[in-house]
Amino acid sequence: MADHIVWHDHKITRAERSVNKNQKPCLLWFTGLSGSGKSTIANALDVALHRRGYHTFLLDGDNVRHGLCSDLGFSDDDREENIRRVGEVCKLFADAGLIVMSAFISPFTSDRRMVRKLFPAGEFIEVFMDTPLETCEERDPKGLYRKARSGEIKHFTGIDSPYEIPSHPELRLDTSTMSVEACVDTLIAYLLERNLIIRRD
């Protein structure tokens, strides 16, 4: 970083921004294999919170790679940089007082830990989509597992590139046994329990 770059503090704090929204900022980090339900559940939660009047934003892995991270590939170094950028963007949205959801495979423990360290205690919520590989591969919504098995795609997570299972995620969801509605109910119950949102009937 250049020596002449100086941090400027904002006159309005993140706490003041969140009070205006009647919620507390946080990041729900959805991690899991391709096809595990990350984007589906994150989108459903986004809709459910929006309908209840909360201020949210959703970052999705594929969408981010169309813009912010379009210059990155899928090497280990590029995956790390992808998550680093996303983590910083999530922090900016949280600083604006939003409830942020991110849906990224994010296969490496060290990368997820890096993002967690950007947030105050209790504001990083790791949601492990604990859906079995067999189910993800059966779904194969983008045809990626088929291509990985045939060798068309290299370094595909779960096939020839590892996925490091979270050891202590805040939440585990298995979409092979849980419906979308059950997953969303579990997530909202967690947010209510931690006083990150308040009940709005």
Side-chain angles (χ1 to χ4, degrees), residues 65 69-82 85 155:
R65 281 188 174 271
C69 297
S70 61
D71 59 321
L72 299 177
F74 290 91
S75 68
D76 288 356
D77 286 346
D78 281 358
R79 286 176 186 266
E80 179 181 353
E81 174 60 14
N82 181 55
R85 292 183 194 179
H155 311 298

Side-chain angles (χ1 to χ4, degrees), residues 10 24-25 27 43 79 161 174:
H10 296 165
K24 294 181 180 177
L27 167 61
N43 269 286
R79 286 176 186 266
S161 184
D174 179 355

